[in-house]
Amino acid sequence: MHFTSEQRLDDAVLERKFTLGEIPGILWTPGSASAPAPLILLGPPPLGLRRMYPRLVARARQSAVDGFATATIELPGSGDRPRLPAAEQARADLRRATEAGEPVSEEIIDALILPLVDKSVPEWQAALDALVSLPEIGGPVGYSGGVISIGTRLAVVEPRISAAVLFAGSFVPRAVFEEARQVTIPLHVLLQWDDEGNDRQAALDLFDAFGSQEKTLHANMGGHTGVPQFAGDAAAQFFARHLK
């Protein structure tokens, strides 16, 4: 891990940009931490860190108030990283199906999501290896947000993640439903009831499939970007219970 820049935000949170091989990322740590801080991995959507920065830094600053360090990395094919030709083709097929009013086939969903999961999960694990070796990071690790299929896979294969907040706002391949049955960590799932780009029934079925003994579904009215503040507060309380 190579840090490329750092700055102190107004609330004394230290923001450091880094690269891990070809992968860009950002680490935020509380300014007043007197001991190593638990870590929350902030999963971004595949829209690029530059575009998502305002939303990510807002979440990071709130987490810092609660005593957590947070980190995010650029997903494969996003931002300035090389495009993934298969994913680009799947996005084009998705647009054609949507514009024609046709159902999105399982083949399109698989081509769009599964390669992204296969490539990004090992990258998250490599980033986690580097992050937990830092002296300012210590204690349990959580995962928050991003593509729900990535969060599901990480919850299965990464034993260092002890709790997760997942956002039900992306397509879910059928294979991920089988992986969900292997998830055992505590989960807090956010669902926007009127999310125009999300299959609500698939989100409910995925929640039902999760094997965790403790899992909470927090559903609210509104579209994809309309998550109310109190829903975010509930997610913060969830992490406070499980990471401290």
Side-chain angles (χ1 to χ4, degrees):
M1 175 178 284
H2 173 64
F3 289 105
T4 57
S5 69
E6 70 173 59
Q7 64 171 330
R8 286 280 179 186
L9 306 182
D10 291 343
D11 44 12
V13 173
L14 178 61
E15 176 185 280
R16 285 174 286 175
K17 295 183 179 179
F18 63 84
T19 57
L20 188 67
E22 65 176 15
I23 309 166
I26 310 173
L27 170 64
W28 295 272
T29 47
S32 58
S34 57
L39 175 66
I40 297 175
L41 305 176
L42 297 181
L47 300 173
L49 292 186
R50 190 176 295 111
R51 177 175 172 183
M52 296 306 301
Y53 176 80
R55 204 181 307 176
L56 291 165
V57 73
R59 289 164 60 192
R61 295 173 84 158
Q62 183 56 57
S63 295
V65 171
D66 297 331
F68 298 116
T70 51
T72 190
I73 59 174
E74 190 79 84
L75 289 179
S78 295
D80 295 327
R81 297 189 64 183
R83 301 297 97 179
L84 301 177
E88 295 295 303
Q89 181 60 54
R91 287 192 187 94
D93 293 340
L94 174 63
R95 283 193 297 271
R96 278 195 293 270
T98 302
E99 291 169 0
E102 300 172 352
V104 180
S105 69
E106 291 186 14
E107 290 76 11
I108 292 176
I109 294 173
D110 287 354
L112 183 65
I113 302 296
L114 290 179
L116 180 62
V117 175
D118 291 342
K119 188 169 177 58
S120 64
V121 166
E123 293 182 350
W124 267 119
Q125 292 181 293
L128 185 54
D129 289 341
L131 290 162
V132 298
S133 71
L134 299 173
E136 58 269 38
I137 305 297
V141 178
Y143 177 85
S144 177
V147 178
I148 196 168
S149 295
I150 295 175
T152 300
R153 174 77 60 82
L154 275 170
V156 173
V157 304
E158 181 46 70
R160 290 172 291 186
I161 295 177
S162 56
V165 171
L166 303 177
F167 291 84
S170 53
F171 292 106
V172 182
R174 298 309 305 176
V176 174
F177 285 83
E178 294 305 314
E179 294 185 43
R181 303 183 198 285
Q182 303 173 50
V183 175
T184 58
I185 63 173
L187 297 177
H188 184 97
V189 181
L190 296 174
L191 170 63
Q192 287 300 101
W193 202 251
D194 306 304
D195 188 342
E196 61 284 352
N198 184 40
D199 184 334
R200 182 196 301 163
Q201 189 58 54
L204 295 173
D205 291 344
L206 181 64
F207 179 80
D208 187 51
F210 284 125
S212 304
Q213 290 298 305
E214 180 187 339
K215 56 181 181 179
T216 300
L217 179 66
H218 199 132
N220 290 282
M221 306 303 292
H224 187 76
T225 60
V227 179
Q229 180 61 47
F230 61 79
D233 294 342
Q237 292 165 7
F238 168 84
F239 277 134
R241 288 199 308 274
H242 291 288
L243 301 184
K244 285 190 173 181

